[in-house]
Amino acid sequence: MHVPDGFIDAPTSAVTGVVAAGALAVSLRGARRELDERTAPLAGLVAAFIFAVQMLNFPVAAGTSGHLLGGALAAILVGPYTAVLCVSVVLLMQGVLFADGGLTALGVNITDMAIVTTVVSYAVFRGLLAVLPRKRRSVTVASFVAALVSVPAAAVAFTLIYAVGGTTDVSIGKVATAMIGVHVLIGIGEAVITALTVGAVVAVRPDLVYGARGLRQRLRLRVNGELVDAPAPTAPVAARTSRRTLWITGLVTSLVLAGFVSFYASANPDGLEKVAHDKGIDKKAKEHPTADSPLADYGVKDISDARLSGGLAGVIGVGVTVVAGSAVFWALRRRRADDVSPASTGV
């Protein structure tokens, strides 16, 4: 659903840019509360993993493919504010380095793919956890549904943005029908990937999953005829997997997906590309400003072997994204530490 330059007019793109900038500012403040010394490294890894999995287009209908958006996955793993930043880092890397998603449309893409997917999915996720049993399986089930809903929600958001600032004269009804229809199917793939990933992390380190915090019910004891909360255990339960092992496993998985598995991804156009071509939305699409960059279209320039070229581009993308994301989140983590230091609290 990466919107290229030319689909949306300049005034609407500017407004969405302001919306995106405001949301990023709010998210930077919110992420400082979500991140701690345990989750800050995971946030950079989540951004890299989303980048890698977005390279894996999967077929969803005749001549159409889809890929992960990642808002739901990031929100559940590291928190909604941090999730907006994760997906935005991915979109920035894709737009600048790989000519994927327009630069003038960056505000549109952040609004649609980072903000809408995160807000909708996390609201659905929390709503489901409020009524489901407080078990790990409930986190996985809620993740599936939240991710499933987030993709057509993003399709609706694009349709509304196009209705306001579309550059071609195409019936909004036709755009909405086509976009929502194909993205419901893509949402199934998003839901499967999200549920499997969240379930895998919850199984080994539930303490690192933001959406699973407070999952366990406190033991209640009857004292003098009244139920009271039992005291929390003094010793923490030993983790099955260390944070370092989890981080290395996630990074290696991302590198393998982007560097090797991506070669076998579907070559069909994704949902937006297919709808844009079929309905004529792309008539005024503009060439990307970085179309001649060394990594444009997820290939390394001057390397003729397609497998090697795409694999190297994927590995570079994962590396750059994990470094950029980790730098942002560690800076936020240090800022939080400074805010609560003894000097700042007067201790």
Side-chain angles (χ1 to χ4, degrees):
M1 203 179 289
H2 294 75
V3 179
D5 295 320
F7 276 27
I8 307 298
D9 62 26
T12 306
S13 296
V15 170
T16 57
V18 172
V19 171
L24 290 176
V26 172
S27 297
L28 285 169
R29 294 183 62 86
R32 284 160 56 185
R33 297 191 298 270
E34 293 174 346
L35 295 169
D36 55 30
E37 68 279 356
R38 299 177 305 160
T39 56
L42 182 62
L45 177 62
V46 168
F49 183 77
I50 290 173
F51 175 91
V53 180
Q54 282 195 2
M55 294 183 66
L56 307 180
N57 281 47
F58 48 85
V60 294
T64 310
S65 69
H67 63 70
L68 182 80
L69 297 184
L73 175 63
I76 295 163
L77 288 179
V78 294
Y81 293 108
T82 307
V84 172
L85 300 179
C86 281
V87 180
S88 297
V89 167
V90 173
L91 293 171
L92 182 61
M93 295 299 103
Q94 291 170 331
V96 172
L97 298 179
F98 297 92
D100 188 11
L103 296 184
T104 62
L106 186 59
V108 175
N109 286 321
I110 290 176
T111 300
D112 194 24
M113 296 177 65
I115 300 171
V116 171
T117 58
T118 297
V119 171
V120 171
S121 64
Y122 198 68
V124 172
F125 177 79
R126 298 309 309 183
L128 288 173
L129 281 191
V131 298
L132 291 173
R134 297 172 64 85
K135 299 180 179 179
R136 293 180 184 179
R137 183 177 301 177
S138 297
V139 174
T140 304
V141 172
S143 300
F144 182 94
V145 179
L148 177 65
V149 173
S150 70
V151 178
V156 171
F158 169 79
T159 303
L160 294 175
I161 293 172
Y162 183 81
V164 174
T167 56
T168 53
D169 186 17
V170 179
S171 167
I172 299 304
K174 292 181 179 179
V175 174
T177 301
M179 283 292 293
I180 296 171
V182 71
H183 284 91
V184 166
L185 299 177
I186 294 174
I188 297 173
E190 178 104 8
V192 171
I193 295 170
T194 300
L196 289 176
T197 305
V198 171
V201 180
V202 166
V204 295
R205 288 300 300 263
D207 59 308
L208 296 182
V209 178
Y210 186 88
R213 292 180 179 180
L215 183 63
R216 284 188 177 180
Q217 289 180 309
R218 292 290 298 271
L219 177 64
R220 309 200 75 189
L221 303 175
R222 187 174 296 278
V223 178
N224 296 328
E226 296 183 1
L227 287 175
V228 297
D229 289 333
T234 56
V237 179
R240 297 184 185 179
T241 304
S242 69
R243 280 180 285 159
R244 177 176 295 183
T245 300
L246 178 65
W247 196 91
I248 293 174
T249 302
L251 181 59
V252 170
T253 301
S254 300
L255 291 170
V256 171
L257 292 175
F260 177 72
V261 181
S262 63
F263 181 78
Y264 301 97
S266 173
N268 292 331
D270 65 24
L272 177 59
E273 289 177 314
K274 178 66 172 175
V275 172
H277 178 73
D278 291 348
K279 304 301 179 183
I281 298 175
D282 59 357
K283 291 179 181 178
K284 295 186 178 181
K286 299 178 180 178
E287 185 178 19
H288 199 284
T290 63
D292 295 328
S293 72
L295 298 173
D297 297 323
Y298 299 94
V300 178
K301 192 175 182 180
D302 298 328
I303 295 183
S304 57
D305 185 280
R307 186 189 297 259
L308 179 60
S309 176
L312 283 176
V315 168
I316 293 171
V318 168
V320 172
T321 303
V322 75
V323 169
S326 297
V328 170
F329 300 124
W330 271 115
L332 290 172
R333 168 60 189 148
R334 293 190 64 180
R335 181 68 179 275
R336 172 183 171 177
D338 293 341
D339 289 345
V340 299
S341 65
S344 64
T345 57
V347 177

